[in-house]
Amino acid sequence: MAPAAAANLGYTPPDGGWGWAVVFGAFICIGFSYAFPKSLTIYFKAIQEYFSVSYSEIAWVSSIMLAAMYAGGPVSSILVNRYGSRPVVMLGGLMVGIAMVTASFGKSIMHIYLCVGVIGGFGLAFNLQPALTIIGTYFHVKRPLANGLAMTGSPVFLSTLAPLNQFLLDSFGWRGSFLILGSFTLNCCVAGALMRPVHKQIKPKPNAEPPKSNGPAHEKAATEDTHAQSAGLKFVDWSLFRHRGFMIYLVGNVIMFFGFFAPVVFLAPYAKHQGIDEYSAAFLLSILALVDMFVRPGTGLIANTKWIRPRIQYFFSLAVAYNGVCHLLCPLVPGYVGLVLYAVFFGVAFGMVSSLLFEVLMDLVGAHRFSTAVGLCTIIECGPVLLGPPISGALVDIYGDYKYMYYACGVMMLVPGIFFLIMHYYNYKKLDEEERKRQSEAMRMRSGLSVRVEGEEEHVKMSQVDETADEADG
Amino acid sequence: MECTWTGNQNKLPNITGYWKKDGNEIDSRLTVPLENEQYNLKGVFDIVGEESLGNYSCVFGSEAKIEFVLAAPQMGEVRDKPIVSYAGDSVVIACKMEEPKPKPSTWHWYKANGTDKALIDAAAEPHRYQIHSEGGKSTLTVRNLTQADAGFYYCGAVYLISTSLGRLEVRVITFLEPLKPFIAIVVEVLVLVAVILLYERKSKKKSITGSQKTKKEKRENSGGEESSSVRQRKV
């Protein structure tokens, strides 16, 4: 049984056809958004030497870029609500391209901060949000699979951008590389071109549902629609903060993101700390990315099945908790073999959570309010995402040992996982109650309006009661 | 330098010991007594300069040999791949003597000239060269690069006993080189965007004319030509 929020789109999404081209476009956008900032670190040493700055000064570029990407979320949401995904993505692609080209002529580290960090970061924000949003408009039945496939862009792009960037640096130095990367990121505009606004053709729904439910359901959809649109034009949609599902998601995610990325950042240093050589340590990250690449679409496929889809929030909660368990067990398996095992299991955990991360939000708030919701989420999650790795680093420095950091990250993931499980059990119960109330109200309305043909009416009522009972149980 | 040897099975009371440098005997041979089950041979050498460096060995009779290598501290990781820079731009190359190793008294920079090394005098050409040395680190900045500036550069960490060298390569290219792939990719993007948008306009036109035709036909024949209208809509 699909949750109430998602069913009221007002039209039937294609769930295929051009939708798969849109998924490919989203794949490219998401790939750039997540992988591009990480892959730029390859140029840091060269830029650091050129401008004669310290390592922490150059590391600011990453932080500024990530911060701009998250802060740009709400701006991106407003633009998408107003103009649709396509123009925003094309603008974003253009922004990143111009940012990189300008940076290649930069005369000081400030230029790099502004161009790559601020403008580049905003450009990437204009890529990420619309890509996620448009999937919700094209897919409903196959949406978890579509989301999983699109999110696979991140590990695929990271695996290709890393060696590509090294090659560019060796061939053209950092300036030439930035110039070429500027043109490369213009491919986001190609992805944007693919994001054709969906054709909202209201087709009559298949006869599974009795006609009586269409009336009030459509009305509700219409009011929700206009409400969402007017909410999108406001600066912040405060009504989301009263949305039970959204608040559960937000609170859990804020805690979770403190411990989500740090283990990835510290995997190679932890390996080197144990005496493993640099290449084997880097290979661990490759294992992680490879496993991640296959787990994301796989998770999308599993989440789409009729057993998991109705209770997808539980699936997500378990994935988050599984992450926590992985980190807690990591310090217990020393040696390279232990680390390889950890990399594999962590790759599965990381891929599962990443694949479901936005799907569950869509599931909770529905496709209409998703754009605004994700904008709010990214700007609030900005804090833990940026603070997580430095805090973990501080833990390593204070104790001189990585295991406390892994324990901390494990707890940071396990607690939200359990939180999600409990809260969503409560939330599902509430949603079922509300659905049942709505069905019985609609039935009452209908019986009040129906003409007095006793026998027929009774027959209709009986079939309605049977169907309501079936839906409540499903 | 001091050598200690615990001896072999037949512990002779005395054994000849002497020092070698680079395979040649130095000083005279000594008679080393057995004390506390050990033979001790001590040698004191004055390190006066580069000639004092090399491989030293202490030899006991014809039985045991211990080797020492006396050298100036070597630089750790120096970038072996060329540093790519642009004509008209500047390049900064750096050498570092990492932490536990002693810091040199000064740094010198050389430019390779065939098999020779020419010392770079930053004071003589301040608009071209700038050397900034600070303890264990030194950087050379070359401004207004031209093709002639490409090639190998050597940084020398100067110690009293000798100078430790590191080699770096600088490549100078023009901006036209990265410009070629840049333009190629921009063209690719423009072509793809145009193709995608044109394809979309074409399929929109087809569906509009298709649905217009089906509407007309539906009005004209109410039920007869269902199949043909369905065929048109699919197109």
Side-chain angles (χ1 to χ4, degrees):
Chain A
M1 186 181 97
N8 306 324
L9 280 171
Y11 67 95
T12 312
D15 262 301
W18 189 251
W20 297 118
V22 171
V23 168
F24 182 63
F27 176 90
I28 296 176
C29 290
I30 292 173
F32 271 114
S33 299
Y34 282 118
F36 196 67
K38 287 186 211 155
S39 64
L40 282 184
T41 54
I42 293 187
Y43 298 107
F44 280 1
K45 188 143 189 269
I47 301 178
Q48 188 190 337
E49 281 183 7
Y50 182 86
F51 288 115
S52 303
V53 292
S54 68
Y55 182 72
S56 54
E57 282 177 286
I58 196 77
W60 269 104
V61 175
S62 268
S63 310
I64 295 177
M65 197 169 195
L66 223 55
M69 200 168 104
Y70 280 88
V75 180
S76 188
S77 304
I78 297 174
L79 289 174
V80 169
N81 284 337
R82 188 87 198 277
Y83 300 109
S85 293
R86 173 185 270 169
V88 184
V89 172
M90 297 187 82
L91 175 66
L94 215 60
M95 278 174 77
V96 184
I98 293 176
M100 293 305 288
V101 170
T102 323
S104 75
F105 293 100
K107 291 280 178 267
S108 78
I109 192 80
M110 278 308 283
H111 289 174
I112 309 285
Y113 287 158
L114 278 169
C115 296
V116 177
V118 178
I119 303 179
F122 265 93
L124 289 179
F126 289 176
N127 265 291
L128 181 62
Q129 241 80 306
L132 297 167
T133 309
I134 200 169
I135 294 179
T137 63
Y138 265 88
F139 288 88
H140 181 58
V141 176
K142 299 215 184 93
R143 200 181 59 201
L145 177 63
N147 267 313
L149 282 169
M151 291 300 281
T152 314
S154 174
V156 168
F157 266 70
L158 192 58
S159 309
T160 24
L161 279 179
L164 178 72
N165 278 352
Q166 188 64 51
F167 169 73
L168 286 176
L169 177 65
D170 293 339
S171 315
F172 299 105
W174 70 270
R175 284 192 191 273
S177 303
F178 275 19
L179 187 70
I180 297 176
L181 280 177
S183 66
F184 196 58
T185 50
L186 283 177
N187 280 296
C188 292
C189 296
V190 177
L194 286 170
M195 293 181 182
R196 202 190 287 182
V198 70
H199 184 43
K200 294 194 176 172
Q201 202 183 35
I202 298 182
K203 295 201 186 107
K205 289 192 179 148
N207 323 336
E209 291 171 50
K212 50 90 185 160
S213 64
N214 268 354
H218 262 294
E219 270 179 62
K220 202 158 191 249
T223 46
E224 267 185 57
D225 200 332
T226 46
H227 176 76
Q229 278 177 1
S230 60
L233 291 175
K234 274 191 273 176
F235 191 58
V236 171
D237 183 10
W238 295 107
S239 71
L240 273 173
F241 288 106
R242 274 179 267 124
H243 190 289
R244 200 173 43 241
F246 178 72
M247 286 312 291
I248 298 174
Y249 180 83
L250 191 62
V251 169
N253 270 29
V254 164
I255 305 176
M256 178 181 90
F257 273 111
F258 273 107
F260 192 49
F261 291 112
V264 186
V265 172
F266 287 102
L267 184 59
Y270 179 50
K272 281 189 241 181
H273 178 81
Q274 287 198 17
I276 296 169
D277 67 278
E278 211 170 308
Y279 289 106
S280 308
F283 186 59
L284 286 172
L285 283 169
S286 308
I287 297 177
L288 191 80
L290 197 67
V291 172
D292 192 11
M293 230 184 277
F294 287 100
V295 166
R296 288 194 195 203
T299 309
L301 204 62
I302 296 176
N304 226 133
T305 58
K306 65 174 192 274
W307 303 288
I308 309 273
R309 183 87 192 271
R311 294 293 184 248
I312 200 173
Q313 304 294 336
Y314 290 144
F315 192 39
F316 180 64
S317 324
L318 287 171
V320 174
Y322 169 49
N323 258 289
V325 170
C326 271
H327 299 324
L328 287 172
L329 293 178
C330 173
L332 302 175
V333 279
Y336 191 59
V337 175
L339 279 176
V340 169
L341 274 174
Y342 169 72
V344 170
F345 281 107
F346 179 36
V348 172
F350 193 76
M352 280 174 76
V353 173
S354 303
S355 170
L356 295 168
L357 192 64
F358 295 109
E359 168 59 34
V360 292
L361 182 60
M362 263 185 234
D363 181 73
L364 286 168
V365 303
H368 286 305
R369 301 168 86 183
F370 175 76
S371 174
T372 325
V374 78
L376 283 175
C377 275
T378 48
I379 195 168
I380 296 176
E381 286 161 9
C382 184
V385 167
L386 287 176
L387 291 172
I391 292 180
S392 305
L395 273 173
V396 174
D397 289 335
I398 293 173
Y399 291 104
D401 194 348
Y402 283 82
K403 65 175 183 199
Y404 295 106
M405 182 207 87
Y406 277 101
Y407 290 149
C409 290
V411 168
M412 290 293 196
M413 302 289 299
L414 194 58
V415 167
I418 299 177
F419 170 76
F420 279 137
L421 271 172
I422 300 174
M423 292 309 288
H424 281 300
Y425 172 71
Y426 165 69
N427 191 35
Y428 272 132
K429 264 177 70 176
K430 277 284 194 165
L431 282 173
D432 289 347
E433 265 177 45
E434 286 166 7
E435 180 68 21
R436 243 172 281 157
K437 262 194 228 152
R438 225 163 22 99
Q439 304 280 25
S440 57
E441 268 183 39
M443 225 173 64
R444 253 180 273 136
M445 268 181 65
R446 183 121 220 277
S447 52
L449 293 170
S450 64
V451 185
R452 313 287 132 239
V453 183
E454 279 289 18
E456 208 182 21
E457 189 196 70
E458 209 142 74
H459 168 77
V460 168
K461 259 199 214 161
M462 293 303 276
S463 59
Q464 284 172 1
V465 168
D466 285 348
E467 273 163 345
T468 327
D470 282 314
E471 277 174 4
D473 292 344
Chain B
M1 289 181 280
E2 187 171 337
C3 293
T4 306
W5 186 44
T6 45
N8 56 7
Q9 298 108 308
N10 10 333
K11 304 242 171 173
L12 300 166
N14 286 318
I15 193 170
T16 27
Y18 58 95
W19 288 94
K20 279 165 92 164
K21 181 183 183 297
D22 295 324
N24 306 316
E25 265 189 59
I26 42 173
D27 292 345
S28 44
R29 294 191 176 214
L30 300 166
T31 319
V32 184
L34 178 68
E35 283 169 55
N36 302 331
E37 306 293 308
Q38 285 177 339
Y39 299 102
N40 275 313
L41 180 65
K42 207 194 276 191
V44 181
F45 305 91
D46 285 317
I47 310 294
V48 287
E50 193 119 26
E51 327 84 54
S52 311
L53 300 174
N55 293 335
Y56 288 82
S57 2
C58 67
V59 188
F60 289 101
S62 46
E63 329 230 359
K65 188 163 85 162
I66 304 166
E67 294 220 354
F68 298 83
V69 179
L70 236 61
Q74 292 301 310
M75 256 172 280
E77 24 145 312
V78 190
R79 189 178 158 84
D80 51 352
K81 282 185 258 191
I83 298 172
V84 180
S85 39
Y86 290 86
D89 194 14
S90 56
V91 71
V92 177
I93 46 182
C95 278
K96 197 165 99 165
M97 194 59 91
E98 322 85 51
E99 253 318 283
K101 300 188 187 158
K103 300 191 169 86
S105 53
T106 184
W107 288 86
H108 283 156
W109 285 88
Y110 306 87
K111 178 151 187 345
N113 206 344
T115 44
D116 257 332
K117 290 194 279 287
L119 181 68
I120 296 174
D121 189 354
E125 298 172 275
H127 59 278
R128 289 261 298 154
Y129 296 106
Q130 194 184 350
I131 298 178
H132 182 79
S133 307
E134 197 177 317
K137 229 172 83 146
S138 178
T139 58
L140 168 72
T141 309
V142 186
R143 295 209 182 81
N144 286 329
L145 285 166
T146 58
Q147 268 304 326
D149 291 314
F152 289 100
Y153 286 77
Y154 291 88
C155 60
V158 178
Y159 296 93
L160 286 172
I161 45 170
S162 92
T163 303
S164 204
L165 289 176
R167 194 180 77 161
L168 295 147
E169 189 185 345
V170 171
R171 246 183 75 200
V172 179
I173 58 177
T174 59
F175 236 100
L176 293 174
E177 279 201 40
L179 203 63
K180 286 181 240 159
F182 173 78
I183 292 181
I185 300 178
V186 171
V187 166
E188 167 248 322
V189 168
L190 288 171
V191 164
L192 282 176
V193 172
V195 163
I196 294 171
L197 292 178
L198 283 172
Y199 171 71
E200 184 178 325
R201 195 168 302 171
K202 231 175 69 170
S203 46
K204 242 197 221 159
K205 272 203 206 135
K206 275 200 181 154
S207 69
I208 290 175
T209 47
S211 57
Q212 279 177 351
K213 281 194 188 151
T214 33
K215 278 197 193 135
K216 264 202 222 152
E217 284 181 19
K218 266 194 171 157
R219 262 182 263 131
E220 286 168 18
N221 346 331
S222 48
E225 314 257 285
E226 286 281 20
S227 51
S228 63
S229 65
V230 170
R231 244 184 281 132
Q232 285 205 327
R233 223 206 258 127
K234 277 192 181 161
V235 164

